[in-house]
């Protein structure tokens, strides 16, 4: 449990400076939230320079494992949160599972 708490703390710190809620399309967010949640989910953890982009690409190409990306890479999160109209880390996670699924499976 300590690891998860540490990850949350790190991500909240990284969240500072992201798009303000006034710049987001909350009506689109509400509409996207009506999408079904996946029946299966999985999480993979990687260290830097370990081949995570390649593995994510291979999993996505199967079309059975969801649309896998490096969703929690701090370099990608600012653009992804804006694209998903997420105003908080919780919003971001809720939207990821809905928008990144394929065949009711989502991978993170």
């Amino acid at each position: 449990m300590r690891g998860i708490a540490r990850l949350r703390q790190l991500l909240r710190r990284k969240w500072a400076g992201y798009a303000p809620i006034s710049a987001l399309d909350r009506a689109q967010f509400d509409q996207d939230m009506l999408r079904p949640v996946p029946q299966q989910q999985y999480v993979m953890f990687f260290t830097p320079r370990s081949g995570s982009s390649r593995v994510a690409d291979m999993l996505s190409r199967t079309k059975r494992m969801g649309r896998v990306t490096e969703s929690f890479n701090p370099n990608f999160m600012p653009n992804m949160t804006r694209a998903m109209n997420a105003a908080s880390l919780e919003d971001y996670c809720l939207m990821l599972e809905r928008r990144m699924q394929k065949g009711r499976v989502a991978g993170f």
Side-chain angles (χ1 to χ4, degrees), residues 39-57:
Q39 293 172 334
Q40 294 181 307
Q41 298 178 14
Y42 63 94
V43 176
M44 295 187 321
F45 296 93
F46 289 96
T47 59
R49 306 299 310 155
S50 64
S52 57
S53 296
R54 182 173 166 85
V55 171
D57 182 56

Side-chain angles (χ1 to χ4, degrees), residues 84-103:
M84 295 186 187
N85 296 297
S88 67
L89 181 58
E90 182 180 359
D91 284 356
Y92 182 64
C93 292
L94 291 170
M95 195 55 60
L96 275 176
E97 65 183 2
R98 285 165 174 80
R99 292 191 51 190
M100 302 307 274
Q101 68 176 310
K102 279 271 194 216

Side-chain angles (χ1 to χ4, degrees), residues 27-71:
Q28 182 63 50
F29 177 86
D30 292 340
Q31 184 176 343
D32 288 341
M33 283 299 292
L34 297 175
R35 295 179 183 197
V37 295
Q39 293 172 334
Q40 294 181 307
Q41 298 178 14
Y42 63 94
V43 176
M44 295 187 321
F45 296 93
F46 289 96
T47 59
R49 306 299 310 155
S50 64
S52 57
S53 296
R54 182 173 166 85
V55 171
D57 182 56
M58 290 184 336
L59 288 171
S60 291
R61 288 178 187 211
T62 68
K63 297 187 169 115
R64 295 180 178 191
M65 302 297 290
R67 291 176 43 217
V68 184
T69 64
E70 295 181 64
S71 306

